[in-house]
Amino acid sequence: MTSRDSASSEITPEVLLRAYACGIFPMAESADDPTLFWVEPETRGVIPLDGFRVASRLARTVRSDAFTVTVDTAFKAVIAGCAAPQAGRDDTWINTRIRDLYLGLYQLGHCHSVEVWQNGDLAGGLYGVSLGRAFFGESMFHRARDASKVALVHLVARLIAGGFELLDTQYVTEHLRSFGAAEISRRRYRTLLDKAITGVSADFLRLPATHPVKGADALAIIAGRG
């Protein structure tokens, strides 16, 4: 289900948070389209935090710390990377309004980025919205093999450590399915969402943000939950 929004209507970061609490999120037709539309899929993609799967080859890469992983240190660069054309994707739904809105959420402490570095360069990353004990993954990108996958592994470890219950991926791709992502009905999703945004909030920064988390530590956290 979608709802078209005019380019002149006022959507603030606070309005955006209320939308997430209702199970809807904004998208744009393209990076050059100034308008947004609201989306509430019939089926929703989620990754069960107690069923997250890491392939053995990827686990070796994570454990090797070939990449350095940080959080909330290069949010603008991450969202720019997600908005840039990539192999197999010439266009993106991330327009200027999307960037501004999520930057506002970042400044409010409700949006976070995971950055993956290689030799001092940003090799990949992801960003998403935190609300209550729910995390809504928005987009990811990579410039080096496995960089976005490593970002996802570190994100899941951080969510588990911080007491999150719901990881929303919006849609399910074959890439995400390999990690355990599954589709659930809108009704089931709303039940999980209502539970996750009620009561005590999770803490995205319970794991240290001042220095990188080791890959082996991230994998141990995930193994302990599985």
Side-chain angles (χ1 to χ4, degrees):
M1 183 172 70
T2 63
S3 176
R4 183 66 56 178
D5 156 60
S6 70
S8 61
S9 65
E10 183 64 21
I11 301 176
T12 65
E14 291 79 7
V15 168
L16 190 53
L17 277 182
R18 290 198 291 272
Y20 273 96
C22 295
I24 61 178
F25 55 89
M27 294 186 73
E29 289 289 356
S30 70
D32 297 326
D33 186 349
T35 63
L36 302 180
F37 58 92
W38 295 110
V39 182
E40 186 182 19
E42 290 288 342
T43 58
R44 197 71 163 239
V46 298
I47 296 180
L49 293 176
D50 56 0
F52 186 70
R53 300 195 296 263
V54 184
S56 57
R57 185 190 65 79
L58 178 59
R60 289 194 295 272
T61 300
V62 172
R63 193 174 288 108
S64 73
D65 291 323
F67 297 103
T68 300
V69 181
T70 59
V71 298
D72 291 351
T73 65
F75 182 84
K76 288 184 179 180
V78 167
I79 199 168
C82 291
Q86 294 190 48
R89 188 190 73 185
D90 295 330
D91 204 356
T92 176
W93 52 269
I94 302 173
N95 64 7
T96 299
R97 291 185 72 195
I98 291 283
R99 293 198 199 196
D100 291 344
L101 281 169
Y102 288 88
L103 177 59
L105 283 184
Y106 170 74
Q107 291 168 341
L108 291 174
H110 281 285
C111 204
H112 300 281
S113 59
V114 178
E115 304 94 17
V116 178
W117 307 87
Q118 187 175 50
N119 301 322
D121 295 322
L122 187 62
L126 58 82
Y127 76 98
V129 176
S130 173
L131 182 63
R133 296 184 305 284
F135 190 87
F136 309 86
E138 285 298 312
S139 188
M140 60 174 62
F141 80 102
H142 69 276
R143 295 171 182 150
R145 182 185 183 186
D146 289 338
S148 62
K149 295 179 181 179
V150 170
L152 182 58
V153 170
H154 276 261
L155 170 69
V156 169
R158 183 167 291 274
L159 297 183
I160 291 171
F164 285 81
E165 296 181 1
L166 175 64
L167 173 51
D168 171 10
T169 67
Q170 299 177 350
Y171 301 102
V172 173
T173 63
E174 287 306 309
H175 169 68
L176 292 176
R177 201 179 298 277
S178 68
F179 289 96
E183 290 180 333
I184 60 175
S185 68
R186 180 188 295 169
R187 182 176 180 179
R188 175 60 178 159
Y189 174 77
R190 284 179 172 173
T191 298
L192 294 176
L193 177 61
D194 288 346
K195 181 175 179 289
I197 64 175
T198 303
V200 178
S201 294
D203 183 4
F204 187 84
L205 299 176
R206 185 168 297 171
L207 286 183
T210 53
H211 60 274
V213 174
K214 294 291 186 182
D217 293 336
L219 291 170
I221 291 169
I222 293 170
R225 176 68 179 261

